[in-house]
Amino acid sequence: QVQLVESGGGLVQAGGSLRLSCAASGRTFSNYAKGWFRQAPGKEREFVATINWTGGSTTYADAVKGRFTISRDNAKNMVYLQMNSLKPEDTAVYYCAADPSHSTVKAGSPAYWGQGTQVTVAS
């Protein structure tokens, strides 16, 4: 069974930091592109950041550029999202996703999704 499991969410004050982790199991995702998406209450799910399988190409939503950093450790089958200077508008459920194609992840249609982890930023 293929699984992506997120962790690291929680409650943080505005201006604080969190690091989300996503562990993949059930298959090797080392050559898959990965991404982070988020969904706030009452809103559509939106793209946050993506990374190709080598880690050499990344993309970020304008809203998080300069504050968030996506990275991966293929040896550990992990992907991370370092979130700094958090704002109340970053409050959402954050989802990890994976797909063989980086383009497909960037398009918001990856084949595999995690269950999500809640991030709440208090003002």
Side-chain angles (χ1 to χ4, degrees):
Q1 183 180 0
V2 174
Q3 273 194 313
L4 296 173
V5 180
E6 302 92 339
S7 62
L11 173 64
V12 64
Q13 293 294 315
S17 297
L18 282 175
R19 188 195 195 206
L20 303 184
S21 300
C22 174
S25 63
R27 67 170 301 144
T28 299
F29 283 97
S30 60
N31 60 341
Y32 275 49
K34 304 280 181 62
W36 288 96
F37 295 78
R38 67 186 182 186
Q39 187 167 20
K43 294 188 176 181
E44 297 286 318
R45 186 161 55 192
E46 63 178 4
F47 142 77
V48 175
T50 71
I51 188 167
N52 75 337
W53 76 274
T54 67
S57 176
T58 58
T59 60
Y60 295 93
D62 287 344
V64 307
K65 212 170 282 185
R67 299 188 297 121
F68 291 11
T69 303
I70 188 170
S71 62
R72 63 189 296 159
D73 184 335
N74 287 341
K76 297 180 179 179
N77 231 0
M78 298 286 292
V79 63
Y80 307 99
L81 185 69
Q82 178 66 43
M83 306 186 294
N84 298 328
S85 302
L86 282 161
K87 304 175 181 180
E89 51 264 43
D90 294 318
T91 295
V93 177
Y94 283 71
Y95 297 91
C96 172
D99 193 273
S101 166
H102 193 195
S103 296
T104 301
V105 176
K106 288 191 283 187
S109 303
Y112 301 99
W113 292 90
Q115 293 299 306
T117 185
Q118 176 71 46
V119 171
T120 302
V121 184
S123 58

